[in-house]
């Protein structure tokens, strides 16, 4: 008997393991406190992963595979994964052990170290999900994501003409994908599911698992089976893709998903394969070019073929040291309103409350609202990582860490992005509608009632000049700062210092 471990984010029905049932193989899946407790997760995240795992195990069994599934009730006797595996190897009298390569460093290290001590044969196989290998950072151009992305476009023949050139004569249509959402632009209603997970919810409560955010266990909205994931993909292609690219950076209180796909949970749990999604998007665009422009589909594909593969390559190249990077030496504690949403900053309040309610925020909310504020305020990247990893349903460390510590907080010194993604209130006003009803005045750079983003932006540049002053992409902002009268500079810095002292009261 060979015991094969399937982790909670390895729900890939297309994996070669599952092509033919083998009576000499038993697939082990387990709900573990080790996984529910390594950070404080959103309630919907815990429920979604456990429900998806159970559904996948049931599908394997229905297909004729032998499955051993342990719920939290059954696995609670073991303190961690290695101790559980040792007991299961003995119980099943297994003569060999196999596992798919984990995507998180902590699990990969834990399993590799434990398996090395076994006296039986062991095998580690690929998860057969990603489009690049773990050492992709060395195999592909990695100075910037754009060149990484272009290479993959060529390799997988995505949006190319017969001569191998990019359709439309351009690799990137990002400059067409930064429009503010018009107030009268119709927004499609999000496709939500109503999965009943009350039994899982009760079990989580019974075991005292600490969670954050809210959840309705009678109608969990996230896809928990592949068919639902496919339905969500089809809904995106039909109703959202026609305007996705144009408004992907828009900020709005009119809807919590806007034109975004919300497919990241299905992708990161591996219910959907990235190439499957990319091919579906390209095919749908090809047959609907009267309503969907090239810029819309390219903007979507770039998120999956470009950013998703790029951050994974960076993660595996730089871990475990990457998790300790703090280039700007930020050390302030994360304000309490990140956990409550109680702040007078309208844009931050909306992004946090939406995250607490839905376990979701789109990439600009994460990068340019909450992330931007944390970077400007000099928040400890360890605490920022913990928040992002816990609050979002789709957050797994391999994708969360480079996006948060690298792109959002610039703690890696420029591996993910060529400059810090910071802005004053002007950007938030340009991309959204929050400022009209905000307690703070977006036009004011200093003084009582001035937008914190304004003075904190200049204070950030001022205090980090020794590390950022020679960055060519920041030459214009620094020239702007230097051109301001000294009294105005001092007023801005004084306002920023006041905000930093009273972060909890903003």
């Amino acid at each position: 008997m060979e015991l094969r471990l399937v982790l909670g984010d390895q729900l890939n029905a297309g994996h070669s393991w599952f092509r033919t049932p083998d009576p000499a193989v038993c697939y082990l899946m387990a709900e573990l406190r080790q996984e529910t407790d390594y950070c404080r997760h959103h309630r919907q995240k815990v429920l979604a992963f456990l429900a998806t795992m159970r559904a996948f195990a049931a599908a394997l069994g229905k297909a004729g595979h032998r499955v051993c599934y342990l719920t939290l009730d059954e696995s609670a006797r073991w303190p961690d994964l290695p101790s559980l595996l040792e007991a299961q190897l003995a119980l099943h009298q297994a003569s060999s052990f196999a596992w798919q390569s984990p995507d998180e460093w902590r699990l990969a290290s834990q399993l590799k170290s434990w398996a090395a001590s076994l006296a039986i044969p062991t095998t580690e196989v690929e998860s057969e999900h990603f489009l690049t290998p773990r050492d992709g950072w060395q195999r592909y151009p990695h100075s910037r994501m754009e060149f990484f992305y272009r290479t993959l476009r060529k390799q997988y023949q995505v949006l190319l003409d017969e001569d191998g050139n990019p359709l439309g004569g351009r690799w990137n249509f990002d400059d067409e994908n930064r429009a503010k959402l018009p107030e009268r632009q119709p927004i499609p209603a999000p496709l939500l599911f109503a999965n009943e997970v009350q039994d899982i919810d009760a079990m989580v409560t019974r075991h005292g698992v600490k969670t954050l955010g809210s959840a309705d266990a009678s109608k969990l909205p996230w896809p928990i089976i592949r068919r639902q994931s496919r339905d969500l993909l089809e809904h995106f292609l039909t109703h959202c893709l026609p305007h996705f690219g144009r408004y992907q950076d828009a900020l709005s209180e009119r809807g919590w998903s806007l034109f975004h796909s919300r497919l990241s949970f299905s992708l990161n749990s591996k219910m959907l394969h990235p190439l499957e999604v990319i091919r579906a998007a390209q095919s749908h665009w090809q047959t609907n070019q009267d309503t969907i422009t090239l810029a819309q589909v390219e903007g979507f594909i770039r998120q999956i073929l470009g950013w998703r593969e790029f951050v994974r390559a960076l993660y595996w190249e730089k871990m475990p040291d990457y998790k300790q990077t703090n280039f700007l030496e930020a050390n302030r504690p994360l304000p309490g309103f990140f956990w409550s949403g109680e702040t007078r900053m309208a844009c931050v309040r909306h992004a946090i409350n939406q995250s607490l309610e839905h376990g979701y925020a789109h990439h600009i909310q994460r990068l340019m609202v909450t992330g931007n504020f944390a970077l400007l305020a000099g928040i400890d990247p360890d605490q920022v990582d913990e928040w992002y990893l816990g609050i979002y349903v789709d957050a797994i460390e391999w994708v969360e860490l480079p996006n948060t510590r690298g792109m959002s907080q610039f703690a890696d010194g420029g591996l993910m992005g060529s400059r810090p993604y910071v802005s004053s209130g002007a950007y938030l006003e340009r991309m959204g509608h929050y400022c009209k009803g905000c307690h703070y005045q977006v036009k004011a750079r200093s003084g009582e009632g001035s937008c914190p983003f304004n003075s904190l932006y200049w204070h950030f540049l001022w205090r980090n000049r020794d590390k950022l002053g020679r960055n060519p992409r920041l030459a214009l902002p620094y020239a702007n700062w230097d051109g301001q009268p000294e009294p105005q500079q001092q007023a801005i810095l004084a306002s920023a210092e006041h905000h930093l002292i009273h972060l909890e009261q903003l």
Side-chain angles (χ1 to χ4, degrees):
M1 175 65 65
E2 177 167 272
L3 190 67
R4 294 179 177 176
L5 176 66
V6 179
L7 296 172
D9 63 344
Q10 296 177 338
L11 312 182
N12 177 10
H15 195 280
S16 58
W17 266 3
F18 309 128
R19 288 174 186 165
T20 306
D22 185 342
V25 170
C26 178
Y27 293 101
L28 173 65
M29 299 181 67
E31 302 169 2
L32 293 169
R33 288 301 297 268
Q34 168 186 297
E35 297 307 298
T36 61
D37 296 0
Y38 69 85
C39 78
R40 188 181 175 200
H41 301 284
H42 197 288
R43 189 79 172 190
Q44 291 184 39
K45 180 181 181 182
V46 174
L47 297 180
F49 268 102
L50 296 186
T52 305
M53 289 171 63
R54 292 187 181 189
F56 187 76
L60 287 181
K62 188 175 181 180
H65 298 283
R66 181 177 177 180
V67 181
C68 174
Y69 191 94
L70 302 176
T71 67
L72 281 181
D73 289 332
E74 297 161 316
S75 68
R77 71 186 77 174
W78 297 289
D80 55 23
L81 179 57
S83 59
L84 180 146
L85 289 174
E86 289 173 6
Q88 294 302 309
L89 286 174
L91 176 65
H92 293 281
Q93 298 182 332
S95 57
S96 61
F97 173 73
W99 74 101
Q100 296 179 30
S101 297
D103 293 317
E104 289 187 299
W105 177 271
R106 63 181 181 86
L107 280 170
S109 301
Q110 183 185 49
L111 274 171
K112 186 175 182 179
S113 175
W114 171 79
S117 67
L118 294 180
I120 59 175
T122 63
T123 306
E124 180 178 7
V125 302
E126 292 294 325
S127 65
E128 301 177 9
H129 174 80
F130 293 95
L131 304 180
T132 55
R134 271 192 183 177
D135 62 351
W137 190 258
Q138 297 298 331
R139 297 195 189 193
Y140 298 90
H142 60 254
S143 61
R144 287 291 168 252
M145 187 281 293
E146 178 66 23
F147 305 109
F148 192 95
Y149 167 59
R150 293 180 187 184
T151 302
L152 291 180
R153 282 267 297 271
K154 295 176 182 177
Q155 178 179 342
Y156 288 97
Q157 294 293 295
V158 176
L159 299 178
L160 301 179
D161 61 23
E162 295 179 354
D163 297 322
N165 298 313
L167 293 178
R170 296 162 57 188
W171 290 102
N172 189 313
F173 289 83
D174 193 42
D175 59 353
E176 296 183 24
N177 296 339
R178 301 170 184 170
K180 183 174 184 175
L181 186 71
E183 293 188 5
R184 296 192 177 185
Q185 171 66 46
I187 300 172
L191 174 62
L192 306 176
F193 303 96
N195 295 301
E196 297 183 1
V197 292
Q198 293 97 324
D199 56 335
I200 300 177
D201 186 64
M203 180 192 68
V204 169
T205 299
R206 189 167 61 249
H207 283 270
V209 176
K210 294 181 180 179
T211 60
L212 59 97
S214 59
D216 184 346
S218 66
K219 49 182 180 180
L220 187 70
W222 298 96
I224 64 170
I225 57 176
R226 177 169 163 76
R227 178 176 53 78
Q228 290 180 342
S229 297
R230 291 284 302 173
D231 288 345
L232 188 58
L233 171 59
E234 185 61 32
H235 178 271
F236 166 73
L237 297 177
T238 303
H239 300 286
C240 303
L241 184 57
H243 298 291
F244 168 79
R246 184 177 298 109
Y247 301 125
Q248 66 173 305
D249 287 2
L251 298 167
S252 176
E253 294 176 291
R254 292 174 50 209
W256 65 275
S257 63
L258 304 180
F259 294 96
H260 293 270
S261 73
R262 294 181 295 111
L263 290 170
S264 48
F265 174 72
S266 294
L267 282 164
N268 294 350
S269 61
K270 301 183 179 59
M271 285 188 287
L272 291 179
H273 192 280
L275 196 58
E276 167 188 18
V277 174
I278 291 167
R279 299 293 191 216
Q282 178 167 333
S283 176
H284 188 82
W285 164 73
Q286 287 172 331
T287 56
N288 293 275
Q289 294 187 44
D290 55 331
T291 57
I292 305 174
T293 68
L294 179 59
Q296 313 308 312
V297 70
E298 188 278 322
F300 174 68
I301 288 176
R302 186 174 357 112
Q303 301 299 322
I304 300 174
L305 187 60
W307 279 115
R308 190 170 186 266
E309 295 291 330
F310 183 73
V311 300
R312 176 176 178 265
L314 172 61
Y315 177 83
W316 281 105
E317 175 68 17
K318 301 300 181 180
M319 283 293 283
D321 295 340
Y322 193 83
K323 199 170 182 177
Q324 280 73 50
T325 54
N326 190 357
F327 176 71
L328 298 177
E329 301 179 65
N331 57 15
R332 287 187 178 85
L334 190 72
F337 57 74
F338 270 74
W339 305 101
S340 68
E342 297 176 1
T343 172
R344 293 178 292 180
M345 295 178 287
C347 57
V348 177
R349 181 175 64 244
H350 177 251
I352 292 176
N353 281 323
Q354 176 186 304
S355 301
L356 289 169
E357 180 179 358
H358 298 287
Y360 173 84
H362 69 70
H363 64 279
I364 294 299
Q365 290 177 298
R366 302 188 198 195
L367 178 64
M368 297 307 299
V369 181
T370 51
N372 184 17
F373 179 83
L375 179 55
L376 293 178
I379 306 302
D380 186 337
D382 288 347
Q383 296 189 27
V384 181
D385 279 337
E386 182 183 3
W387 186 80
Y388 276 93
L389 184 59
I391 201 167
Y392 293 119
V393 173
D394 56 18
I396 302 175
E397 189 185 72
W398 69 265
V399 67
E400 174 275 328
L401 188 64
N403 273 304
T404 299
R405 189 169 289 258
M407 188 174 184
S408 172
Q409 300 304 295
F410 204 70
D412 65 4
L415 291 173
M416 268 290 290
S418 59
R419 65 172 177 85
Y421 280 86
V422 289
S423 78
S424 66
Y427 172 85
L428 299 169
E429 182 184 33
R430 184 167 68 250
M431 297 307 300
H433 304 276
Y434 302 109
C435 299
K436 292 180 180 179
C438 186
H439 170 82
Y440 297 101
Q441 302 302 309
V442 70
K443 301 297 184 183
R445 290 188 172 190
S446 62
E448 185 176 355
S450 62
C451 175
F453 279 91
N454 291 338
S455 58
L456 289 177
Y457 172 76
W458 295 112
H459 190 278
F460 170 84
L461 294 175
W462 171 78
R463 72 176 184 266
N464 290 301
R465 189 159 197 165
D466 59 331
K467 295 186 176 183
L468 301 176
R470 290 182 294 276
N471 187 314
R473 298 195 66 188
L474 294 177
L476 188 59
Y478 275 113
N480 187 323
W481 171 253
D482 292 339
Q484 297 180 42
E486 184 176 353
Q488 182 172 307
Q489 289 181 337
Q490 293 305 315
I492 290 172
L493 295 178
S495 292
E497 291 288 353
H498 178 82
H499 291 320
L500 291 173
I501 293 171
H502 299 91
L503 277 181
E504 295 290 352
Q505 286 75 50
L506 290 181

